[in-house]
Amino acid sequence: MTDRLKDSSSQDRPPAPGPDGTAAVSGTASHQTMVQAEDRPTTRGQRAIQWLSAVGFFRILGLVVALVVICAVGAFTAGGNFANSDNALTILRGAAVVGVLSIGMTFVITGGGIDLSVGAILALSSVWCTTLATQTMARDNHWLVMVFVALAVGAGCGLVNGILVSYGRIVPFVATLAMLIAARGLAEILSDKKTQIVDVDGFTDVFASDYLGIDFSIYLFGLVAVVGWVLLNRTTFGRRTFAVGGNPEAARLAGINVRRHTVLLYVLVGVCCGIAALMLVARTTTGTSTHGTLIELDVIAAVVIGGTLLAGGRGTVTGTVLGVLIFTTLTNVFIQNQRDSSEQSVLKGAVIVAAVLLQQWLASRKSAT
């Protein structure tokens, strides 16, 4: 009986301290530690691969490879007409307007929404900032009046979209579809379905000029891309965007004001519409209700190709920029080879379907593991 009590008490006692004053590790604990050590990456290479995979490097690498392949095809089929610096600048200039819109769209889709009205808001902003009254104020005061009007109109339309989605509880597809129709109609009313010519010298001198041989719109695209990347990846606003898009209810329980944040996302894409409108007005020296017709399709396609999930919760500005460049370069290759635009549309559709199928496959693999 005494021996049994001794045995049980010895089992209940903690392990005796070692010579340095710390408790000795039992056999079971040491075995678990060895198993955990075996599960960890044993080399720096494995840890590096895991880190690169976590930050989405391999998804971006695939986009880079696709862009390089398209450029190689263009250089092989079109020769010197494609592979020169002037054509490279043409591609970047063509990507600027769609790129700015796509960066704003990346935030909205990452946050679990979508905006079909970006093209119509762009048109309305371009018309409003080029009306006779606006241009007269710009000439009398400063050309920045046109900039302010374009940004204010874009932000205002985004605010309406955000309120309808967040507080009106209207599905984003329906709310932004209504804005698409209304904004385009309002642009036609303001312009009387006529093209408005820009004659404010200060505005065109800044927005339509080249600096160091590079169009100002390219600099503006780069600036928006950098600001968008920092905002999405290095700020609380970006982290909240991922949280809202991934699980709105969990984000609400974590203390995030989901409705207010959703409104801000739509205001953000509205501001991007205003910036894109200024770029397009400067390029064409006109404001018209036909600006940006169907551009929302290219914008959404570029964001999806870039790796942003349509379901929300994951987005990448770098991938979006590469997606825009892929589509713009592909268009340039078709133009250089004098191919029919219908063939280009078919290929774009195939690329979009392939990208969505790849997203679904990767999501299913992740959920299975």
Side-chain angles (χ1 to χ4, degrees), residues 196-260:
Q196 300 173 162
I197 307 299
V198 177
D199 61 354
V200 180
D201 294 334
F203 175 80
T204 53
D205 289 344
V206 173
F207 279 85
S209 299
D210 294 344
Y211 300 91
L212 300 177
I214 300 176
D215 192 80
F216 180 73
S217 62
I218 300 175
Y219 289 109
L220 202 54
F221 175 33
L223 178 62
V224 172
V226 171
V227 172
W229 186 89
V230 172
L231 188 62
L232 187 63
N233 296 283
R234 292 292 183 268
T235 65
T236 303
F237 183 87
R239 289 191 292 272
R240 289 177 177 175
T241 301
F242 287 116
V244 170
N247 192 327
E249 182 61 22
R252 186 187 66 82
L253 294 175
I256 298 175
N257 191 328
V258 175
R259 292 184 178 181
R260 183 179 64 187

Side-chain angles (χ1 to χ4, degrees), residues 41-344:
T42 56
T43 65
R44 291 183 178 179
Q46 289 174 329
R47 289 194 294 269
I49 290 174
Q50 284 190 353
W51 181 81
L52 290 174
S53 178
V55 299
F57 172 78
F58 296 108
R59 290 195 300 271
I60 295 175
L61 180 62
L63 295 172
V64 172
V65 171
L67 182 59
V68 170
V69 169
I70 293 173
C71 291
V73 171
F76 178 77
T77 57
N81 293 330
F82 177 85
N84 60 70
S85 58
D86 290 338
N87 189 55
L89 291 176
T90 300
I91 292 174
L92 291 175
R93 193 180 301 112
V97 173
V98 177
V100 170
L101 293 175
S102 299
I103 291 169
M105 185 71 77
T106 300
F107 280 85
V108 172
I109 295 181
T110 302
I114 197 167
D115 193 344
L116 302 179
S117 63
V118 289
I121 296 175
L122 183 154
L124 180 59
S125 298
S126 74
V127 166
W128 211 318
C129 77
T130 56
T131 59
L132 179 61
T134 303
Q135 293 196 63
T136 301
M137 290 178 60
R139 284 191 295 269
D140 294 342
N141 297 279
H142 199 279
W143 57 266
L144 286 175
V145 171
M146 295 178 62
V147 176
F148 173 78
V149 170
L151 297 180
V153 170
C157 292
L159 179 64
V160 173
N161 278 336
I163 291 174
L164 291 176
V165 172
S166 297
Y167 295 95
R169 298 186 180 275
I170 300 176
V171 177
F173 182 91
V174 176
T176 57
L177 180 61
M179 177 59 72
L180 182 155
I181 299 170
R184 187 77 67 179
L186 183 56
E188 292 176 352
I189 293 172
L190 287 175
S191 63
D192 197 22
K193 297 184 180 180
K194 296 177 182 178
T195 300
Q196 300 173 162
I197 307 299
V198 177
D199 61 354
V200 180
D201 294 334
F203 175 80
T204 53
D205 289 344
V206 173
F207 279 85
S209 299
D210 294 344
Y211 300 91
L212 300 177
I214 300 176
D215 192 80
F216 180 73
S217 62
I218 300 175
Y219 289 109
L220 202 54
F221 175 33
L223 178 62
V224 172
V226 171
V227 172
W229 186 89
V230 172
L231 188 62
L232 187 63
N233 296 283
R234 292 292 183 268
T235 65
T236 303
F237 183 87
R239 289 191 292 272
R240 289 177 177 175
T241 301
F242 287 116
V244 170
N247 192 327
E249 182 61 22
R252 186 187 66 82
L253 294 175
I256 298 175
N257 191 328
V258 175
R259 292 184 178 181
R260 183 179 64 187
H261 191 83
T262 301
V263 171
L264 291 176
L265 291 176
Y266 281 97
V267 170
L268 176 62
V269 73
V271 171
C272 289
C273 291
I275 296 173
L278 293 169
M279 297 163 66
L280 201 54
V281 167
R283 182 183 303 173
T284 62
T285 64
T286 62
T288 173
S289 59
T290 60
H291 276 331
T293 302
L294 297 180
I295 198 173
E296 56 272 359
L297 302 182
D298 289 338
V299 170
I300 295 173
V303 174
V304 172
I305 291 297
T308 299
L309 285 179
L310 282 173
R314 192 186 78 190
T316 162
V317 171
T318 305
T320 295
V321 172
L322 290 172
V324 171
L325 292 178
I326 285 173
F327 271 122
T328 310
T329 306
L330 189 63
T331 300
N332 186 268
V333 170
F334 271 81
I335 293 174
Q336 293 288 346
N337 288 279
Q338 299 180 352
R339 304 299 299 178
D340 187 39
S341 60
S342 301
E343 298 177 7
Q344 176 187 334

